[in-house]
Amino acid sequence: MLSRRISAASRLRGLLAGGPATTGACPRAFSHGRVVDAAARDGELRVFVVAGEVSGDSLASRLMASLRALSPVPVRFAGVGGGLMCKEGLQSLFPMEEISIMGLWELLPHLYNIKRKIEDTADAAILFQPHAVVTVDSKGFSFRLLKQLKCRYNQVAHPLHVHYVAPSFWAWKDGERRLAKLHNLVDHLLCILPFEEEICRINGLPATYVGHPLLDDAIGLNMEKELSSVNSMHQRSGEAFRQEHAMSPGTAVMELMLAKLPCVVAYKAHFITECLIHLRKNINFISLPNILLNSPILPEILFRACTAESLASKLSEVICNDEVRKLQVESADQLLEMLYEPMKQRGCLFQKELHNSSLLSNIFSPSMIAALTVLYTDKHQHALHLN
């Protein structure tokens, strides 16, 4: 599905580059703050992109494909990533797995190596002279890298700093206060949840909702439910399936929800972790569908309440109770519309701003909107706003 969109989008390169406009449209003056303008002057677009997780590798690879399709000039990539990014033309500085370390305790033995990797990556970025630096998720590594880059630029004009996927600041107390500090490091934030954009802007951080990555696969997910063999899926491990399809575990519930499959959310943690979560959390639910819909559509069985008996009982209710199933199915449609409509509006706004009626809404996708945002956002001014 994405490849078809990219193929269609590639035919728009000339128009997006400032080619023939629609009838009656006024030509747009180029701004020195836009990536596409700097790339046009240099005859190529240089993007330094960094991802440190499987989900980030998937997001970044799709963004890279969209940038190549939409850019009016040839594109070169450098940075750090996984197999999917390498297929899009990246020669990773080192294996992505060397910075894919989760947890505080697990990180401690690797602190020196991580610090050295950040320095090596910063050296490579400065040498590459990119028009844009795009960091994808992996906030620990990404923000330390951007901080070091900012220190090295001095008074020299620096590239656009874009971070893809906003941290879950809204989930924790004092999260917005920490978010406000990011404006020193990040020129623009690409959000995958609709409400994040406004919160970021309120806190002084330019941001754009580009669409949740699952929108790329929502249609496919519903088709898979009808066509795939249930037995073959049960015979494989969840981890193997996620690795093959570059899925993060931090999206499983969303995938099940949009595929309209019955599901229950379960989470168990150490008692101390449970206490910390209760003290710091700023939300009523733990699963993303419930957070977005602000309703317990998906039953959540958490912490000490998460037992085999409670799980079996709740799963039986979700599977066998027609009313519960109907509610989940209807909510899936509502959730899909909630995620898609703002992204579609953003695409229409780009269409209007670029005076390009050929930018058809049926090829809008998260990676395409993200690529357009990278190319056409002026780092010295506000990005395109939705009315």
Side-chain angles (χ1 to χ4, degrees):
M1 182 171 64
L2 178 66
S3 61
R4 292 198 296 271
R5 288 174 178 158
I6 295 300
S7 177
S10 64
R11 295 194 292 270
L12 306 174
R13 290 184 189 179
L15 291 172
L16 287 172
T22 57
T23 304
C26 298
R28 178 189 174 102
F30 277 0
S31 163
H32 291 286
R34 300 195 311 180
V35 167
V36 69
D37 303 329
R41 290 193 298 271
D42 289 351
E44 68 172 1
L45 170 63
R46 298 185 297 275
V47 182
F48 194 87
V49 57
V50 175
E53 302 170 6
V54 172
S55 58
D57 184 39
S58 177
L59 275 177
S61 66
R62 293 183 179 193
L63 174 62
M64 291 166 69
S66 293
L67 284 171
R68 184 181 291 109
L70 296 172
S71 173
V73 293
V75 185
R76 281 202 295 138
F77 297 107
V80 178
L84 294 175
M85 294 167 67
C86 290
K87 288 180 180 179
E88 294 297 334
L90 177 73
Q91 290 187 337
S92 187
L93 296 173
F94 48 81
M96 179 184 73
E97 291 73 20
E98 294 186 11
I99 58 173
S100 302
I101 303 171
M102 304 294 291
L104 179 60
W105 182 260
E106 293 82 358
L107 179 64
L108 289 177
H110 304 277
L111 282 178
Y112 175 76
N113 285 334
I114 293 294
K115 181 180 179 182
R116 190 176 63 182
K117 294 294 183 188
I118 292 173
E119 293 174 351
D120 292 344
T121 306
D123 289 340
I126 296 295
L127 185 63
F128 187 61
Q129 295 185 323
H131 299 103
V133 175
V134 181
T135 52
V136 185
D137 233 341
S138 303
K139 61 180 181 180
F141 187 92
S142 295
F143 295 156
R144 286 174 175 81
L145 170 64
L146 295 179
K147 182 177 181 179
Q148 186 158 143
L149 286 176
K150 285 281 189 178
C151 293
R152 296 191 186 197
Y153 293 141
N154 296 321
Q155 302 301 319
V156 180
H158 66 272
L160 180 73
H161 281 187
V162 177
H163 186 69
Y164 197 174
V165 182
S168 301
F169 54 87
W170 38 266
W172 309 103
K173 294 177 181 177
D174 296 327
E176 290 188 37
R177 180 177 57 82
R178 293 195 297 271
L179 175 71
K181 297 179 180 179
L182 287 183
H183 80 275
N184 293 321
L185 306 177
V186 179
D187 296 311
H188 208 86
L189 197 62
L190 303 183
C191 305
I192 65 171
L193 300 177
F195 61 84
E196 292 176 329
E197 177 179 328
E198 182 179 0
I199 298 176
C200 289
R201 292 186 184 280
I202 290 173
N203 286 276
L205 183 60
T208 297
Y209 170 66
V210 299
H212 195 285
L214 284 178
L215 291 174
D216 274 328
D217 304 313
I219 296 176
L221 280 169
N222 285 315
M223 291 178 62
E224 291 268 340
K225 183 188 69 171
E226 303 293 336
L227 301 176
S228 64
S229 167
V230 174
N231 289 334
S232 64
M233 291 183 70
H234 277 289
Q235 291 169 358
R236 303 175 60 194
S237 73
E239 180 61 27
F241 184 83
R242 286 192 296 268
Q243 288 285 346
E244 179 178 336
H245 295 279
M247 294 178 177
S248 168
T251 62
V253 176
M254 287 284 285
E255 290 159 7
L256 289 171
M257 181 80 171
L258 294 179
K260 299 182 179 179
L261 296 173
C263 54
V264 171
V265 177
Y267 188 82
K268 204 173 179 91
H270 191 278
F271 174 72
I272 296 178
T273 302
E274 178 183 352
C275 292
L276 290 173
I277 290 176
H278 282 305
L279 286 172
R280 294 191 57 211
K281 72 182 180 69
N282 196 37
I283 49 178
N284 297 321
F285 308 107
I286 199 169
S287 64
L288 192 51
N290 288 349
I291 292 170
L292 289 172
L293 298 170
N294 195 29
S295 179
I297 302 300
L298 304 182
E300 296 184 351
I301 307 176
L302 310 176
F303 308 120
R304 282 167 287 177
C306 185
T307 64
E309 293 77 13
S310 60
L311 275 173
S313 174
K314 193 57 69 174
L315 278 170
S316 177
E317 177 184 344
V318 169
I319 293 172
C320 301
N321 189 309
D322 290 340
E323 289 299 317
V324 174
R325 283 293 302 125
K326 181 181 178 182
L327 179 61
Q328 287 196 356
V329 170
E330 291 175 348
S331 298
D333 292 332
Q334 181 182 352
L335 182 63
L336 187 59
E337 182 178 359
M338 182 183 296
L339 293 172
Y340 179 72
E341 281 305 314
M343 185 192 76
K344 181 180 178 181
Q345 291 179 42
R346 177 67 59 184
C348 291
L349 193 61
F350 271 116
Q351 182 185 65
K352 179 180 179 181
E353 177 74 5
L354 300 175
H355 305 305
N356 179 13
S357 61
S358 297
L359 192 60
L360 301 177
S361 60
N362 63 351
I363 61 170
F364 291 160
S365 69
S367 58
M368 179 180 177
I369 302 300
L372 287 168
T373 304
V374 171
L375 288 171
Y376 289 94
T377 291
D378 190 328
K379 68 181 179 183
H380 302 303
Q381 301 173 8
H382 293 295
L384 302 178
H385 288 276
L386 292 177
N387 293 327

